[in-house]
Structures are given as C-alpha cells and as structure tokens.
Amino acid sequence: MRDPFMVLLGGLIVFTAIAAWIALNRPGRQGPKPQRETTPVRRVGVRRRWELAGCIVLAAAGLDVAAAYGIGTSSPGGSGITVELGFSMMVLAVAWSIFRQEILRYQLRLGAALYGLPTPAEPAQVKAAEYTGVILRLLLFLLGLITALARLIFR
C-alpha cells in the first residue's frame, strides 16, 4: 500500500456516493414541484437516471482514487493498461445500462435514416438491437473488470 490516506479518501468518496444514492431514493422523497401542471411524468424517471449515473461516476472516481493512488497501481511508465481504463470501461457500461432505452431509440432512428428502414421499427429489429446492446454492455463491463483486476494482480 503506497498511501493509506488516499485509500481512506477513496473509500470516503465511495461512501459518499452510496449515501447520496440512498438519500436520493428514500421512500417518500418528493422531488421539486413541477413548474406547470403539464410537466410530463417521464421527466421524473429521467432525473432519477441522471442521479444514478452521477452516483455511479462518483463511486467509480472513489474506487479509482483508492486503487490507483492509494494502492499504487497507476501506470508510471505511461502504458495504456491502467486501472483507470478498466474503471472507465465499467462506468461506461453501467451508464449505457441506465440510459439503454434512449440509446436504443437513437440507434433505431439512426438506422432508419442511414439504411432507409421503416420508421416504426419491426419487433424483430427492436429485439436484435436490444440483444446487441446487452452483449456489448456485458463485454465492455467484463473487459473493464479484467483490465482493472489484471493491473491490480500483476503490478
């Protein structure tokens, strides 16, 4: 362990992210009152997803501080295989999982524009896009985990 203070600081950041997520999702929490009565209900779900994404990024930053600077796994030679790369891949996979519906809609709209597909996508196209996204998210998360663990083990 290179710097115990940095390990504690990273743990404190992770604890803060977990506490923030618990506080934001406590039962009975009322968000800000809508400006107008016509505010769609969907915006509450989107706000909660952004809150979750922010907490995940904060927790990943805390894990990065604890692992890279506290334990001493940062790459002094400037090689591309670092714990930061693994954590960023895992955070990207988790953020993609949170916003998967919006990303799927964008993919289908882009596919319709580029390849001249029908605008209301067929159910088979939607399922294929969903399964492709699941496979890519899983692959991205596992590769990030393997990268981080390999750097921690072989340091």
Side-chain angles (χ1 to χ4, degrees), residues 14-147:
V14 171
F15 175 76
T16 304
I18 293 170
W21 179 243
I22 290 171
L24 290 171
N25 278 332
R26 71 183 183 275
R29 174 181 173 247
Q30 298 292 328
K33 298 291 180 197
Q35 299 285 336
R36 302 176 286 164
E37 291 298 321
T38 60
T39 304
V41 176
R42 181 177 168 262
R43 294 189 55 81
V44 174
V46 171
R47 190 185 84 232
R48 292 226 188 242
R49 281 187 250 159
W50 278 106
E51 291 169 353
L52 175 61
C55 290
I56 288 170
V57 168
L58 185 63
L63 289 173
D64 183 45
V65 167
Y69 303 107
I71 298 174
T73 59
S74 60
S75 178
S79 71
I81 301 174
T82 61
V83 174
E84 289 92 352
L85 175 66
F87 282 133
S88 63
M89 290 169 69
M90 288 188 290
V91 167
L92 180 63
V94 171
W96 187 354
S97 295
I98 294 169
F99 297 104
R100 67 186 177 276
Q101 294 167 343
E102 286 84 5
I103 292 172
L104 179 64
R105 275 190 237 119
Y106 177 74
Q107 286 174 333
L108 292 174
R109 194 172 6 147
L110 189 65
L114 287 176
Y115 302 114
L117 299 173
T119 304
E122 297 175 10
Q125 291 173 334
V126 174
K127 282 289 186 191
E130 286 176 357
Y131 288 139
T132 303
V134 167
I135 290 170
L136 290 175
R137 285 192 313 258
L138 184 63
L139 184 65
L140 190 62
F141 188 83
L142 289 176
L143 288 176
L145 183 66
I146 290 169
T147 301

